[in-house]
Amino acid sequence: MYGALGIRVTGRVQGVGFRPFVYSLAKKFHLTGTVQNNLDHVMLIMEGNEDCLVRAVKELKESPPPLAKIDHITTTKIPPVYFEEFTIIPSKKVDSYSLPWISADAAICEDCLQEMNDPANRRYKYPFINCTQCGPRYTIIQSLPYDRPNTTMSEFTMCDQCQEEYVNPLNRRHHAQPICCFACGPDIRLFHQNGEMSAQDEEALLETGALLRSGNIVGIKGIGGYHLACDAHQERAIVEIRKRKNRPRRPLAIMARDLDVVKKHCYLSKEEEDMLTSPVMPIMVLRKRKECTLPEELSQGLSTIGIMLSYTPLHHRLFETSGLECMVMTSANISGMPIPYKEEAINDCLYDYLLTHNRGIHLPIDDSVVQFDGEKMLYHRRARGFVPDPFHTESAVDGIVAFGGNQKSTFAVGKQNDIVVSAHIGDLDSEEMIHFYKAQLLHYKKWLGVEVKHIAVDKHPLYASAELVKEYDCNIIPIQHHHAHLVSCMEDNGILEPSFGIILDGTGYGADGNIWGFEFLYGNAHSFERLGHLEYTPLPGGEKAVKEPWRNAVGMLYYYWQEDGIEMAMKLFPDKATEVNILKRMIVNQIHMPMAGTCGRVFDAVSAILGTCLTSTYEGEAAIRLSDYMMNETEHSGGIYPYHLKANQENKLQLDLSPMLSQIIQDKFNNVSTAKIIHAFHSTIVSGCVEMIARLSERNPHLNRTVMLSGGSFQNLFLTKEIKAKLEEKGFAVRTHKNVPCHDGGLSLGQIIIASHAIKSKVVDHCVPGSTRKGDGDR
């Protein structure tokens, strides 16, 4: 029996070979009709035998192209038109209210890799080979829909052979927008640091390979920006990269030639291997093997290293011409600056030679960084390959933009019931980074066609967002930092009902004017209550104490034990006697002396006391060095230090860790092994968190027994695993982040949801132009 269907498919269906896939499907089942790309969906008309229609729709749902991500398929019976054949008709650009899906950049696929290595193929050794299943997407799209004229490839006119492939519905490159070859694609050029061109195309690749072998630092243009590369086995070159980037100790990522190289240096589980070889090909944080021969300089003092595979054809060619097994591959920016993506933006003092090409990057993006915790992947940096996939929400977020935090910054844009969280931007500590942030936000707003009606912003008065928001005349919704963390984890898990939240991080502006970061909350997007927290101690010098953890330790020691504490500090930090006395006077006279109760600062103090990290050269360094000790299971002792839970004047529970600090110092002076002290310290933090939640639940038996774990300190795999396990033993349901980072990179997701509920509850006043306080997201 003959029939006809109208089929509407939404999701990631542009730039993934979806139309040629449908064309092949129609041919397979002898169907006629049309397929057309629209801004936010693909529309099909299929006619033919009804049984064949059913089978075609089933295959459409169950076996779409590998890069496709189908959200909804809606089928409607329609009167037949009696098409003679099945055709792909031109894209239709319409003013759509729905969110347009934009494809993420994808690593080179196996088919293209085989062609590139095949001497008989016309794209043999071609460094820009791609098809509908791989290559640049997000970074080259200038406007929607995703068609070649709307990309940076529009300036390259296809040769006859590429054009033939492009229009052939049965070809793997049908409507592959970046399609090109030697005859019609971008070219490569190698420049000396002085700006003089050294070589071009194949000669440039050969010369670059020789330069890398000989220890030079080469700037290389990738999919989302410029990297600095050198031989990962040449320590001198690594030290030089650190010097030029002003990155003394922060780990450097490397790129490996193949999986065998990864396995030679790192332990690799099946799950890690699957992610490492997926179309995303992110940087994976992996444990180094004891026999690893990579220089210690890559990740100083750590048992892990960030490693990725070659995700572009250009990278594969460079491994071929250099003969290296792995290269340092780090963003070509001075620390604290944006990743450069235009030739004129890269600082020539960073490289010896520059390998560049003329395929434009419209929107820059960093490499993603993930880590497997034994159960699931954790996002340390959500960027290339994952962005800009949207999150669907039950909350009304249309017209809301959330500005995120100041560190590891992202923003979130709402359209109807979808949220797009931007790629990782970085720390907004410089004018250059703020300008970069603003440019990205402007692009997303234009891209997605969003009219900003409300802005969610962190309550911290000194965040860059506090100034950025002044440029908007709309409803401004200030949101408490840790409330946003709680709701970010709830939204990440699809939970609406109120929950407990353990929020452990470094810094967040508290409702009482103090610095929060070791919080026990209860609530949801509508409101929250602070039920418990870490006892406050002085943070002498504020931000300076964050960068010099020993100052934080002195503040705690004096707060708890006054002159005895100063005596302890003198013994712990004998070369800083003068500074210790200055800090004492600052505390006594309350000079630049914020009070803080944060998990990050506790880790800082213990790290300084143990001599593990006296000065942090990057955010979280002290905590990272402590947590790395927990990677060695043989050192675990199982003991915990003493601590107190006590009620304050408001009958809120406070965690007092002074007994723990006292015992740690005694153990230090008694030459107890550092590894045992660090294990007991971690176990004490776990015990304190678990006991606090249990006590709060006993006090409030009517509250739901669901617990969210969020905040940057939960990047510590031991804390996450142990707190979760011990709470579950007590009957609590525990949730951790799934799709966004637990640190401030996930903050904007929580902010936008809280803002949505604030608007719905009519908490936000009517717009008062220029106002920066029109409603609160917390109570």
Side-chain angles (χ1 to χ4, degrees), residues 420-491:
V420 176
V421 177
S422 76
H424 165 88
I425 293 173
D427 300 347
L428 305 184
D429 293 332
S430 66
E431 286 298 320
E432 291 87 350
M433 287 302 300
I434 292 170
H435 177 76
F436 185 72
Y437 176 100
K438 289 168 68 174
Q440 297 260 309
L441 178 56
L442 177 63
H443 184 80
Y444 271 69
K445 287 190 299 180
K446 290 172 64 177
W447 222 5
L448 303 175
V450 171
E451 179 187 352
V452 181
K453 302 171 186 174
H454 315 277
I455 295 177
V457 63
D458 194 285
K459 280 188 170 182
H460 200 304
L462 299 181
Y463 274 7
S465 54
E467 288 298 313
L468 290 174
V469 80
K470 293 178 181 178
E471 300 178 11
Y472 292 82
D473 285 338
C474 57
N475 288 327
I476 309 301
I477 308 170
I479 292 169
Q480 202 281 322
H481 188 90
H482 303 95
H483 186 200
H485 271 303
L486 168 65
V487 176
S488 175
C489 190
M490 293 179 72
E491 182 67 18

Side-chain angles (χ1 to χ4, degrees), residues 48 59 89 216 348 392 401 449 457 479 495 509 694 708 732 746 757:
E59 189 164 326
I89 59 178
N216 283 276
D348 60 12
H392 189 73
V401 173
V457 63
I479 292 169
I495 293 175
Y509 187 73
M708 304 293 131
F732 291 92
H757 284 259

Side-chain angles (χ1 to χ4, degrees), residues 610-612 626 629 635 668 671-680:
L610 298 179
T612 305
L626 284 189
Y629 275 84
E635 297 288 350
K668 162 77 173 175
N671 296 317
V672 174
S673 81
T674 299
K676 284 189 176 182
I677 295 173
I678 291 172
H679 181 269

Side-chain angles (χ1 to χ4, degrees), residues 710-725:
S710 189
S713 296
F714 281 111
Q715 292 175 96
N716 184 314
L717 302 188
F718 180 86
L719 288 187
T720 304
K721 180 182 176 182
E722 292 298 308
I723 291 174
K724 184 175 186 289

Side-chain angles (χ1 to χ4, degrees), residues 459 477-479 483 525-528 754 758 763 775-779:
K459 280 188 170 182
I477 308 170
I479 292 169
H483 186 200
H526 184 264
S527 64
F528 81 98
I754 294 170
V763 173
D776 284 347
D778 59 301
R779 310 286 182 271

Side-chain angles (χ1 to χ4, degrees), residues 103-324:
S103 295
D105 301 310
I108 184 171
C109 68
E110 282 300 317
D111 288 337
C112 282
L113 193 56
Q114 287 178 14
E115 288 181 354
M116 190 178 75
N117 293 326
D118 179 6
N121 192 279
R122 74 185 189 92
R123 292 188 176 88
Y124 176 55
K125 293 189 174 183
Y126 185 54
F128 299 101
I129 190 170
N130 67 85
C131 69
T132 55
Q133 296 308 308
C134 67
R137 305 283 196 279
Y138 170 88
T139 49
I140 64 170
I141 299 172
Q142 296 168 315
S143 61
L144 296 173
Y146 175 50
D147 286 323
R148 191 179 180 100
N150 299 328
T151 73
T152 59
M153 285 298 295
S154 60
E155 63 182 272
F156 298 97
T157 302
M158 281 182 262
C159 66
D160 291 344
Q161 285 179 288
C162 284
Q163 179 69 31
E164 189 175 315
E165 293 171 328
Y166 183 83
V167 299
N168 181 0
L170 297 177
N171 191 283
R172 195 174 90 252
R173 293 188 172 87
H174 176 68
H175 282 210
Q177 307 308 336
I179 187 174
C180 55
C181 68
F182 284 108
C184 62
D187 57 61
I188 291 177
R189 297 185 182 188
L190 177 67
F191 292 91
H192 191 273
Q193 186 186 50
N194 62 17
E196 181 182 339
M197 192 173 80
S198 180
Q200 192 168 353
D201 295 325
E202 184 65 16
E203 284 300 316
L205 293 174
L206 292 169
E207 188 171 332
T208 300
L211 290 167
L212 289 166
R213 275 198 309 276
S214 61
N216 283 276
I217 296 169
V218 181
I220 297 172
K221 187 176 183 180
I223 278 185
Y226 282 90
H227 288 101
L228 294 180
C230 72
D231 181 356
H233 282 286
Q234 297 197 38
E235 192 164 337
R236 182 202 61 78
I238 298 167
V239 171
E240 186 61 24
I241 280 184
R242 289 195 175 282
K243 179 181 174 183
R244 295 183 190 186
K245 277 178 62 76
N246 189 26
R247 186 172 174 165
R249 291 199 296 266
R250 189 176 182 180
L252 292 169
I254 65 170
M255 179 177 281
R257 182 182 60 216
D258 52 39
L259 271 177
D260 288 340
V261 174
V262 177
K263 292 174 181 178
K264 174 182 173 182
H265 295 292
C266 301
Y267 297 104
L268 192 65
S269 69
K270 177 64 167 59
E271 293 85 356
E272 289 166 334
E273 182 175 332
D274 288 346
M275 177 57 77
L276 203 58
T277 57
S278 73
V280 179
M281 286 195 183
I283 297 170
M284 285 286 308
V285 179
L286 298 173
R287 285 182 62 205
K288 291 185 281 192
R289 290 184 177 273
K290 290 181 181 178
E291 59 271 26
C292 173
T293 59
L294 291 168
E296 177 68 12
E297 190 65 30
L298 290 167
S299 55
Q300 301 170 39
L302 300 180
S303 62
T304 58
I305 190 167
I307 191 164
M308 58 183 157
L309 292 174
S310 308
Y311 59 84
T312 74
L314 178 59
H315 294 140
H316 280 275
R317 290 301 328 279
L318 289 175
F319 275 112
E320 178 191 338
T321 61
S322 68
L324 301 177

